[in-house]
């Protein structure tokens, strides 16, 4: 039996590209490490990876992520990591 998503959250942003402040790496690494521990959560795209990627890169990541969801709705982490 398929279940609909429990919650979807979107945020509108004023700027599409991240702004790097001196010393951002320490804060980014902390957040990235914490998010990496949240089960079934993928963070990608410009804001999720804090990267200057293009829309076709983000769409490729989205399609790849969808490919890693099992029939039971679980994320196949080993497939995603590959």
């Amino acid at each position: 039996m398929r279940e609909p998503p429990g919650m979807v959250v979107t945020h509108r942003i004023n700027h599409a590209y991240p702004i790097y402040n001196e010393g951002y790496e320490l804060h980014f690494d902390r957040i990235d490490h914490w998010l990496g521990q949240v089960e079934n959560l993928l963070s990608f795209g410009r804001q999720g990876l804090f990267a200057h990627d293009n829309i076709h890169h983000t769409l490729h990541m989205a399609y790849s992520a969808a490919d890693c969801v099992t029939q039971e709705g679980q994320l196949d982490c080993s497939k995603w990591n590959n």
Side-chain angles (χ1 to χ4, degrees):
M1 178 176 183
R2 296 186 79 160
E3 293 290 325
M7 179 175 55
V8 175
V9 177
T10 62
H11 296 278
R12 298 218 182 257
I13 54 174
N14 293 327
H15 305 286
Y17 291 101
I19 299 171
Y20 297 94
N21 293 321
E22 189 173 331
Y24 81 93
E25 299 95 337
L26 176 63
H27 303 290
F28 175 82
D29 290 343
R30 285 182 186 163
I31 298 251
D32 190 49
H33 175 74
W34 183 82
L35 287 172
Q37 297 176 36
V38 178
E39 195 172 321
N40 289 324
L41 173 71
L42 293 179
S43 182
F44 55 87
R46 286 182 181 169
Q47 303 306 320
L49 296 176
F50 210 65
H52 290 245
D53 63 348
N54 295 312
I55 191 68
H56 68 281
H57 297 126
T58 302
L59 287 170
H60 177 73
M61 284 185 273
Y63 289 128
S64 297
D67 246 6
C68 294
V69 177
T70 68
Q71 289 288 346
E72 295 77 30
Q74 298 299 311
L75 177 66
D76 183 339
C77 292
S78 62
K79 188 174 181 181
W80 173 254
N81 289 332
N82 284 331

